[in-house]
Amino acid sequence: MKRNVVLKLSGVERHYGQGDTVLTILKGADFVLHSGEIVALVAPSGTGKSTLLHVAGLLEHPDGGEVAVNGQACEGLNDEKRTAIRRSEIGFVYQFHHLLPEFSALENIMMPQLIAGLPRKEAAERAKQLLDYMRIGHRANHRPGELSGGEQQRVAIARAVANAPTVFLADEPTGNLDPETAHYVFDALEALVRQSGLAALIATHNHELAGRMDRRVTISDGKIVEF
C-alpha cells in the first residue's frame, strides 16, 4: 500500500535566546512522516522533543526551514491560515489530558467538532463512536474527575482525532500512567492509527512502547536521526 507523506520538515532551525547566549535546539532538521505509520521520538529530556512537536504542529514558527502538512508549505502562511490547518489536519495529546473538567467525556470530544461547525447531533454521534472505539462508551457521561488516568487519556486521544486529522502528535501520552495502563492506552491508539490511516509521531521515554512502533527517531546535535 502506498503511503502518502503527510508531514515534512525540511532544514528546520529553532533557536532560543538566554541572555547573551543563543541556544540551538534544531539545526537543519529533516523529517518525513507517512500516513498510517507510528514513529517514536525517543530522546533525553532537554534535547528538544517538545520543541520539535510544537514546530511540527504549527504551534511555533521555526527560525529557518519549512514545515509542510499534506504538501502545503506552512511557513509563508499567516496565523489565521496556520490555525485553520492545525484545527483540521493536526491532533495533539499531551502527558496531562487537559480535558475540560466541567464537561463530560462526550462533551469534551464534541467541543472541537462544534468549533469546526459540525451540527450538534452529528458531533455527538461521532463522539459516541470514538468513545466506543476506545472502549469507554459506558463512561460517556462522566466528567474527567470521575475517570481513571487511562480513561482520561483515551478521552484525550478521542478528542484529538474528533475532526479526523491526518497528523497525530503526542508528547509523553502515557507518561503519567502505570505500565499496564500505558500498554492498554497504546493498544487503543495503535488500533486507531491502523484503522484510520493517521500519521503519528509520539514522544516517549518508554522504550518498550517505542519498540512496538514502526520507526524510532531521536534528536542528535539538532538533527533528527533514526535509531
Side-chain angles (χ1 to χ4, degrees), residues 109-146:
I109 301 169
M110 289 173 61
M111 202 68 64
Q113 301 177 76
L114 296 175
I115 292 172
L118 202 68
R120 187 173 186 86
K121 183 179 179 181
E122 290 182 35
E125 288 175 355
R126 176 159 173 78
K128 182 66 167 64
Q129 288 171 356
L130 285 167
L131 284 170
D132 287 341
Y133 194 86
M134 302 299 284
R135 301 180 186 175
I136 47 173
H138 61 293
R139 308 289 274 168
N141 295 318
H142 289 71
R143 294 184 180 183
E146 301 170 318

Side-chain angles (χ1 to χ4, degrees), residues 37-83:
E37 74 169 344
I38 308 177
V39 177
L41 173 59
V42 184
S45 297
T47 55
K49 295 193 301 296
S50 294
T51 295
L52 172 59
L53 290 172
H54 288 170
V55 170
L58 309 184
L59 292 170
E60 293 184 26
H61 285 269
D63 296 300
E66 184 61 81
V67 177
V69 179
N70 286 313
Q72 168 72 68
C74 299
E75 203 40 44
L77 302 179
N78 61 31
D79 286 342
E80 183 179 354
K81 289 180 179 178
R82 286 168 62 90
T83 298

Side-chain angles (χ1 to χ4, degrees), residues 22 24 73 108 206:
V22 175
T24 296
N108 266 279
N206 188 321

